Amino acid sequence: MRVEAPWLRRRSATRVAFVPSKGGADGKESVGSASFINRRASPISGLFDSNYVDYIYRFKTQGCSRMFPFENGAPVSAITLEMARGMNQGLLESGMMQQADTIEELADKLHIPSDAFTATVKRYNEMVAAGDDRDFGKEAFRLSPVDTPPFYGIRQTGYMLCTMDGIPIDTDMRALDPDGKPIEGLFVGGNDSGSFFSHSYPDLVPGLAAGRSATFGRRAGRIAATA
């Protein structure tokens, strides 16, 4: 669940990719949201309860958010549950994540007005119990209550994953200047090369960014080494 000032529930994406180490039980936000990246004026807090592992299994996440083996035995490609637990523990020890036995106590630790925060959580839990998200229409199977202590919360912000334009390149991975001419000695790999994500970031294609970055990063390195 995510909330933002005035500490009401925040609209969340329906493409759930639950990552507890990032403090959210609602799912992955759409990439490229300027409003999420610039959170100084209106910060977001993510919260979840002690049953978060059960929710991870129920969501059946895919791609880089998958934390348990696939039905066919394929291993996790990114962060395992054990790794996530370790990351959460590190966040708790650093003070970035807060733990509390009550929602009111969690509000105090997150420096959030307790009345509005508690009322928001109460309303959300009521909708979860009814299986009907009257506020944002999230599917019932994606709703997860925040009702079992200890509770966890973390203040969140955004970060830049990739640009929507990127750096134009030629077939030899060389960066191009405004006139479309290659810049000698400058090779580009990764998400921002070739304007690959200029129109969309298809995050439902597991391994797209990592696979392309590894493949063309290697190509860029090999060409640069012999240039």
Side-chain angles (χ1 to χ4, degrees), residues 3-216:
V3 296
E4 66 178 320
W7 308 114
L8 303 176
R9 183 176 168 224
R10 183 178 187 273
R11 179 184 63 81
S12 58
T14 58
R15 298 167 302 166
V16 170
F18 179 70
V19 183
S21 61
K22 294 183 179 179
D26 270 16
K28 180 182 289 185
E29 296 295 334
S30 299
V31 175
S33 172
S35 63
F36 188 63
I37 292 173
N38 183 19
R39 301 309 311 174
R40 292 185 178 181
S42 180
I44 288 175
S45 287
L47 59 150
F48 55 95
D49 68 15
S50 60
N51 290 325
Y52 70 86
V53 172
D54 294 337
Y55 308 146
I56 292 174
Y57 280 102
R58 179 159 56 82
F59 287 167
K60 295 183 179 180
T61 52
Q62 306 295 324
C64 59
S65 64
R66 182 83 173 197
M67 294 186 178
F68 54 94
F70 291 87
E71 287 80 0
N72 64 358
V76 176
S77 60
I79 300 174
T80 65
L81 280 171
E82 292 72 20
M83 293 169 62
R85 288 192 178 102
M87 294 167 68
N88 282 347
Q89 185 60 38
L91 291 171
L92 287 168
E93 292 173 358
S94 69
M96 295 182 67
M97 182 183 291
Q98 298 296 328
Q99 176 179 327
D101 291 327
T102 67
I103 294 298
E104 292 81 3
E105 180 187 1
L106 185 63
D108 290 339
K109 288 186 173 182
L110 293 174
H111 305 289
I112 294 175
S114 179
D115 291 346
F117 186 66
T118 302
T120 297
V121 174
K122 180 176 183 294
R123 173 174 174 77
Y124 173 71
N125 284 334
E126 290 172 349
M127 291 189 293
V128 173
D132 181 14
D133 183 3
R134 298 184 297 278
D135 290 340
F136 298 112
K138 180 179 283 189
E139 302 96 319
F141 82 95
R142 298 192 190 277
L143 296 172
S144 303
V146 183
D147 60 4
T148 305
F151 303 103
Y152 303 89
I154 188 169
R155 299 295 284 266
Q156 297 176 290
T157 184
Y159 66 93
M160 186 66 71
L161 178 62
C162 63
T163 69
M164 293 293 105
D165 295 318
I167 302 172
I169 59 175
D170 63 10
T171 56
D172 288 327
M173 309 302 293
R174 296 178 296 180
L176 303 180
D177 66 18
D179 295 323
K181 298 179 180 179
I183 301 174
E184 293 300 325
L186 183 59
F187 301 86
V188 187
N191 282 343
D192 294 330
S193 67
S195 305
F196 188 71
F197 294 113
S198 60
H199 301 292
S200 176
Y201 187 92
D203 60 348
L204 295 183
V205 183
L208 180 63
R212 178 180 178 276
S213 295
T215 300
F216 290 97

